[in-house]
């Protein structure tokens, strides 16, 4: 990733991309810190939802402390309540374990909240919760299966978070092919990619009883995405966005936001 020009690297456990990623080992994070200046460790104890038991929360606190002990200061984390809202108390517990000098990104648990949002006030409440927690960034697809489908919500989220100095990092199906569209229609200039910058590598002979594959980062694909992002960001500075409200092709999102 670094050879391809990535400015920030998020680390998850090996062979866990298929489920959205899990907490990496301290050894893996230590190795990443030797290669990259800006490393973010995912904190997620299991696959599935982000509603955690007290035991799971305690285990994640231990994971955060272990990662901090090897020098990690960037964390992607987040907890939700049973009602689908951000569990600020549980999330704050993880943030406290990360330390005052940690840089926190609220991960895609945000999309479970945003997919339920019925109006702009709900989007603004998400941004307010992130501000109270002290998050520097939020990773999101706008509550849709892919960022392409969530562009309107991403635009509104970018507006709400921008007022609070929180960066929105677009995620979900991001690739070199749609980087320009996403930057133009959301106003965001940070993209997060996984599948588009990786390829599968066999981890055993095809005839082995234990044959499997693992996705690994491809430096050339990272470089291509990085170039597409740079070109899109430069173009975006000179042009107004053309994002539209879902369900209303005639109303610009910017107007929709301020009238919300």
């Amino acid at each position: 990733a670094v050879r391809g020009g990535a400015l920030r690297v998020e680390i998850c456990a090996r062979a866990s991309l298929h489920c959205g990623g899990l907490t990496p080992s301290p050894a893996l994070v230590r190795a990443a810190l030797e290669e990259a200046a800006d490393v973010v460790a995912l904190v997620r104890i299991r696959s599935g939802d982000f509603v955690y038991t007290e035991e799971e929360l305690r285990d994640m606190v231990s994971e955060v402390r272990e990662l901090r002990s090897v020098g990690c200061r960037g964390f992607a984390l987040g907890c939700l309540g049973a009602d689908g809202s951000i569990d600020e108390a549980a999330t704050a517990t993880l943030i406290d374990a990360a330390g005052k000098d940690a840089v926190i990104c609220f991960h895609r648990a945000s999309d479970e909240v945003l997919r339920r949002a019925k109006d702009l006030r709900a989007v603004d409440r998400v941004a307010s919760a992130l501000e109270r927690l002290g998050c520097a960034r939020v990773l999101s697809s706008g509550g849709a299966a892919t960022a392409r489908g969530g562009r309107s919500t991403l635009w509104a989220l970018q507006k709400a978070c921008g007022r609070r100095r929180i960066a929105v990092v677009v995620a979900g199906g991001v690739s070199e092919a749609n980087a320009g569209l996403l930057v133009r229609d959301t106003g965001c200039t940070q993209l997060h990619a996984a599948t588009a910058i990786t390829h599968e590598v066999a981890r055993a002979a095809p005839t082995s009883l234990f044959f499997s594959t693992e996705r690994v980062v491809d430096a050339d694909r990272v470089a291509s995405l990085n170039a597409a992002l740079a070109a899109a960001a430069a173009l975006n500075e000179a042009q107004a966005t053309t994002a539209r409200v879902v369900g209303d092709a005639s109303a610009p999102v910017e107007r929709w936001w301020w009238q919300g």
Side-chain angles (χ1 to χ4, degrees), residues 43-224:
V43 180
R44 188 183 182 209
I45 196 166
R46 57 161 172 79
S47 60
D49 65 22
F50 303 96
V51 182
Y52 298 110
T53 65
E54 290 185 9
E55 181 180 4
E56 289 172 331
L57 186 60
R58 285 197 300 271
D59 288 345
M60 286 194 293
V61 166
S62 296
E63 289 180 332
V64 170
R65 288 173 177 164
E66 289 176 358
L67 295 174
R68 182 176 172 81
S69 72
V70 298
C72 187
R73 294 296 183 270
F75 298 91
L77 48 78
C79 305
L80 301 183
D83 63 352
S85 64
I86 293 176
D87 186 335
E88 294 186 46
T91 303
T93 297
L94 296 180
I95 293 174
D96 287 345
K100 295 184 181 301
D101 58 343
V103 178
I104 304 299
C105 173
F106 196 94
H107 59 37
R108 288 194 62 192
S110 63
D111 289 322
E112 275 297 310
V113 184
L114 291 170
R115 76 182 183 88
R116 294 176 170 86
K118 299 185 183 302
D119 54 42
L120 291 166
R121 293 180 181 85
V123 176
D124 196 65
R125 284 194 294 272
V126 170
S128 293
L130 298 175
E131 181 181 34
R132 287 192 295 272
L133 288 166
C135 295
R137 299 186 297 272
V138 57
L139 197 65
S140 179
S141 65
T146 66
R148 184 184 181 95
R151 299 194 311 279
S152 293
T153 301
L154 282 167
W155 172 257
L157 183 64
Q158 185 268 137
K159 279 291 203 181
C161 286
R163 292 163 54 202
R164 297 169 170 87
R165 299 181 183 278
I166 300 169
V168 176
V169 184
V170 178
V174 173
S175 68
E176 175 188 356
N178 62 26
L181 175 72
L182 294 174
V183 171
R184 184 194 71 194
D185 283 4
T186 67
C188 302
T189 56
Q190 297 188 44
L191 303 181
H192 174 97
T195 303
I197 59 171
T198 59
H199 64 268
E200 288 193 348
V201 173
R203 291 308 188 194
T207 55
S208 171
L209 292 175
F210 303 99
F211 174 78
S212 67
T213 61
E214 180 180 13
R215 298 202 70 88
V216 299
V217 175
D218 186 308
D220 290 337
R221 294 184 182 183
V222 174
S224 295

